[in-house]
Amino acid sequence: MASSANHYAIEFKGLSKIFGPHPDRIIPLLRNNLSKSEILAKHGHILGLNNINIMVPTGCMQVIMGLSGSGKSTLIRHINRLVDPSVGEVLVCGEDVVKMSRGELCEFRRHKTAMVFQKFALLPHRTVLDNTVYGLELQRVPKRRQVESAMYWLERVGLRGFEDRYPNQLSGGMQQRVGLARALTNDAPILLMDEAFSALDPLIRVDMQTILLELQKEIKKTVVFITHDLDEALRLGDRIAILRDGEVIQQGSCQDIVLRPADEYIMSFVRHVNRGRVIRVETVMDRTGPESAQNGVEIRAGTLLEQAASVLLSSQKEYLIVTNDQGGRLGSLSLRRLMGAMVSA
Ligand SMILES: Nc1ncnc2c1ncn2[C@@H]1O[C@H](COP(=O)(O)OP(=O)(O)OP(=O)(O)O)[C@@H](O)[C@H]1O
Ligand SMILES: [Mg+2]
């Protein structure tokens, strides 16, 4: 059997975290379905996380979503063991972080993970370039390679020419580009982003999402991205896990979440989503398809409904013919069906 390390960069298995003086006394109580508020009121402990099971495939952009206090930061901090679990396992690249010695953990943090912080966390007395090389400096990489790598990533995030500036000479959006360049310069396989774009103005935020998505096509890192914004989650996530009071309420693809919200809580999030930008043609097509293709226009599986609608409307045809990458027919989609899928909740 192939090792799970080949498929999953990060595995949370039965992970629970209780904050307070005697977590071991509280853990057995979790089996009785005690709620977070009961654990606090009756036992004076805080339930951080309860029985988390999430497998993050290598190269996947995994979004963790949830309201304030739902446990997002506690979860991401388990990945590089800034928080110790009360019970359960955290495997990263197949290795159990809980079992690592202090030295192993130090090496692991330096080489396997890089973080992008909400408040940028740039060193104010260092230039953009010197901030960007920081991780490689700690790794004692030769100076020339540090600078080469940092300059490459600064250029990729659109900061060429700014390398000698200081953080306080840059806007928030530019500072976060430095944060991203610094993380990428570390060249770690796992990128941890806790509300990394939440402090930015809405338009700058969307710009940063675009930069991240463009880069990710090429770097294919495993990214854990925390947000409380559903639009951001749906735009970035290959997979989304939604937390409430320390528990995973639902996890799956964007389409799973939007088309099959697990409960009222998630429904309240997804109600206002622009479905045309999330749902793909093959999900809602008619699989029997029309007999003839004469009055149809071809469209690739994977196309989002909003774009498909614009293709169909400008084609003057009656329906879309959904094809696979080789041009084979998979099904069809009439304008009526397409519009219905875009508006129905
Ligand atoms: N060190 C700690 N000691 C005690 N309780 C803690 C500690 N860290 C987190 N908590 C509690 O654990 C729960 C989850 O907190 P966490 O910071 O993970 O939430 P979050 O989803 O990241 O929230 P936010 O969106 O506000 O950042 C909260 O009830 C919080 O008060
Ligand atoms: Mg947080």
Side-chain angles (χ1 to χ4, degrees):
M1 202 173 79
S3 152
S4 60
N6 297 332
H7 307 292
Y8 297 107
I10 304 164
E11 300 164 69
F12 298 103
K13 295 184 176 175
L15 172 71
S16 296
K17 176 68 184 177
I18 306 282
F19 294 103
H22 302 292
D24 44 314
R25 292 188 200 159
I26 307 299
I27 289 293
L29 304 177
L30 292 178
R31 273 189 232 114
N32 306 336
N33 286 333
L34 276 194
S35 70
K36 179 167 171 154
S37 49
E38 283 171 308
I39 289 172
L40 183 61
K42 292 190 192 150
H43 303 280
H45 282 66
I46 295 170
L47 176 61
L49 295 169
N50 186 7
N51 192 22
I52 303 291
N53 294 285
I54 300 175
M55 311 283 275
V56 184
T58 303
C60 170
M61 183 103 75
Q62 170 76 56
V63 169
I64 310 285
M65 220 192 104
L67 300 178
S68 185
S70 58
K72 306 179 298 293
S73 295
T74 305
L75 183 62
I76 205 171
R77 286 184 193 147
H78 274 89
I79 296 170
N80 52 5
R81 218 178 121 196
L82 295 174
V83 176
D84 275 324
S86 302
V87 67
E89 278 183 289
V90 183
L91 304 183
V92 180
C93 304
E95 281 185 88
D96 188 341
V97 294
V98 182
K99 295 200 178 118
M100 285 179 192
S101 67
R102 191 180 274 264
E104 285 168 343
L105 190 59
C106 195
E107 278 297 288
F108 165 84
R109 284 185 184 146
R110 241 171 233 179
H111 294 282
K112 291 282 169 66
T113 64
M115 296 189 83
V116 185
F117 301 89
Q118 178 172 359
K119 302 244 166 72
F120 322 139
L122 302 178
L123 297 168
H125 56 280
R126 285 184 157 227
T127 63
V128 165
L129 180 63
D130 289 343
N131 264 286
T132 311
V133 296
Y134 191 61
L136 294 187
E137 223 173 73
L138 292 178
Q139 291 176 30
R140 299 182 195 282
V141 167
K143 186 74 188 166
R144 228 186 72 189
R145 262 187 50 218
Q146 289 177 23
V147 172
E148 256 171 35
S149 176
M151 291 300 282
Y152 174 79
W153 288 112
L154 283 170
E155 161 131 41
R156 294 303 309 271
V157 301
L159 282 182
R160 199 199 171 98
F162 289 88
E163 50 283 353
D164 295 328
R165 302 278 181 99
Y166 285 86
N168 67 4
Q169 298 174 308
L170 304 180
S171 68
M174 288 163 96
Q175 290 186 53
Q176 196 54 306
R177 286 174 195 232
V178 180
L180 186 57
R182 174 179 58 188
L184 293 171
T185 300
N186 275 6
D187 200 26
I190 295 174
L191 212 52
L192 304 176
M193 305 179 74
D194 188 350
E195 303 268 10
F197 301 157
S198 301
L200 304 174
D201 291 341
L203 290 179
I204 307 287
R205 186 172 183 165
V206 171
D207 277 350
M208 289 303 290
Q209 293 165 3
T210 308
I211 291 176
L212 181 62
L213 284 170
E214 282 300 312
L215 288 173
Q216 173 65 354
K217 278 189 207 154
E218 180 187 322
I219 59 184
K220 297 189 175 69
K221 294 201 185 274
T222 306
V223 184
V224 180
F225 191 101
I226 289 184
T227 181
H228 53 253
D229 182 271
L230 183 65
D231 288 324
E232 184 164 76
L234 293 171
R235 180 142 192 251
L236 294 180
D238 297 313
R239 300 183 57 77
I240 300 178
I242 301 182
L243 293 183
R244 182 180 52 192
D245 290 343
E247 294 182 29
V248 174
I249 306 296
Q250 186 170 9
Q251 56 177 317
S253 69
C254 298
Q255 296 200 91
D256 291 335
I257 307 273
V258 171
L259 289 171
R260 290 176 288 279
D263 66 4
E264 268 299 317
Y265 173 75
I266 295 173
M267 201 112 68
S268 67
F269 280 118
V270 304
R271 195 162 285 139
H272 306 292
V273 162
N274 181 342
R275 297 160 65 90
R277 293 191 190 158
V278 177
I279 301 171
R280 301 172 194 280
V281 281
E282 67 276 18
T283 314
V284 294
M285 69 185 180
D286 182 350
R287 281 170 202 282
T288 53
E291 290 293 300
S292 109
Q294 256 184 4
N295 249 333
V297 56
E298 286 197 356
I299 196 139
R300 285 277 173 88
T303 309
L304 297 172
L305 296 188
E306 191 175 78
Q307 210 211 325
S310 106
V311 169
L312 181 54
L313 289 169
S314 58
S315 72
Q316 316 272 335
K317 302 275 185 175
E318 284 172 17
Y319 45 80
L320 293 161
I321 296 169
V322 182
T323 66
N324 60 20
D325 286 352
Q326 290 72 43
R329 265 207 246 171
L330 301 173
S332 67
L333 191 55
S334 66
L335 186 60
R336 192 191 173 95
R337 194 175 171 115
L338 192 157
M339 289 305 183
M342 276 172 57
V343 295
S344 73

